Amino acid sequence: MKIVVGSSNLAKIGAVKNAFESLGIQADVTGAGTESGVAAQPFGDEETLTGTRNRAIAALKTGPHDLSIGLEGGVKELDGRLYICNWGALALPDRTVFTAGGAQIPLPDEVAVLVRGGKELGPVMEALTSKEDIRQTGGAVGVFTDGTVSRSAMFSQIVLLLAGQWRFASGQRGRRQGQ
């Protein structure tokens, strides 16, 4: 099976590899830099979900693949606090798209004020932690869970939700065709 991830981000590619391996599905997983079509810092579930769908659909166009996956992290306002939000999309060559959301935790006020002020979360986290490319490793979720959950692990859960929907739909289509 050939899977393309609509990103060159190592945490996202690793999440897809780990999720499919945990399901016993052998897959050749590659990454392809794609545009999300949304702001560099998506704000709200709708914009983040749009970005992930756009990445999954764009990734399909990079070559013959069995499926593609887009993963996108964003932020959203909820109950007066700024939370991280995460979405994924799995696209098939026939343009069927499955979507799923993931973990959400509030950002500390000192981080939230910078992001609300127009800064992207990734560079804010790099400045806060003095670590380059934090988006390729633990991410904000890794920092604010004290390493309990990494960015890759968080995205792996979303990929499992996507793969489960895809497997269910594939089985349902097969059952309907075989009746």
Side-chain angles (χ1 to χ4, degrees):
M1 168 172 283
K2 291 184 74 170
I3 300 173
V4 63
V5 180
S7 176
S8 57
N9 183 289
L10 298 177
K12 294 177 181 182
I13 295 167
V16 173
K17 286 179 181 178
N18 291 338
F20 277 85
E21 282 176 12
S22 77
L23 295 171
I25 298 172
Q26 290 189 347
D28 175 22
V29 180
T30 58
T34 59
E35 293 296 321
S36 68
V38 298
Q41 179 57 72
F43 205 96
D45 285 324
E46 190 170 325
E47 185 177 13
T48 309
L49 180 57
T50 297
T52 198
R53 269 196 213 108
N54 291 345
R55 286 187 187 278
I57 291 167
L60 274 178
K61 299 174 186 173
T62 64
H65 308 287
D66 296 300
L67 59 89
S68 66
I69 295 184
L71 298 166
E72 192 76 25
V75 296
K76 72 178 197 179
E77 289 284 346
L78 182 63
D79 200 26
R81 302 219 35 206
L82 194 62
Y83 282 72
I84 62 168
C85 64
N86 301 276
W87 285 91
L90 183 153
L92 301 175
D94 69 1
R95 303 208 28 114
T96 300
V97 177
F98 301 96
T99 59
Q104 300 175 47
I105 63 169
L107 293 172
D109 291 337
E110 60 271 16
V111 173
V113 72
L114 296 170
V115 176
R116 282 189 187 108
K119 295 195 183 287
E120 192 178 343
L121 182 58
V124 168
M125 295 307 300
E126 288 174 356
L128 178 72
T129 62
S130 300
K131 294 180 182 175
E132 291 184 26
D133 290 330
I134 196 161
R135 290 173 277 194
Q136 304 279 335
T137 57
V141 71
V143 172
F144 299 129
T145 63
D146 196 30
T148 304
V149 177
S150 70
R151 190 167 196 235
S152 185
M154 178 190 62
F155 277 131
S156 285
Q157 288 299 306
I158 295 171
V159 175
L160 289 171
L161 292 169
L162 295 169
Q165 291 177 79
W166 164 67
R167 286 174 21 158
F168 175 78
S170 296
Q172 293 300 317
R173 283 192 287 242
R175 283 188 210 122
R176 284 192 297 265
Q177 291 170 359
Q179 291 180 355

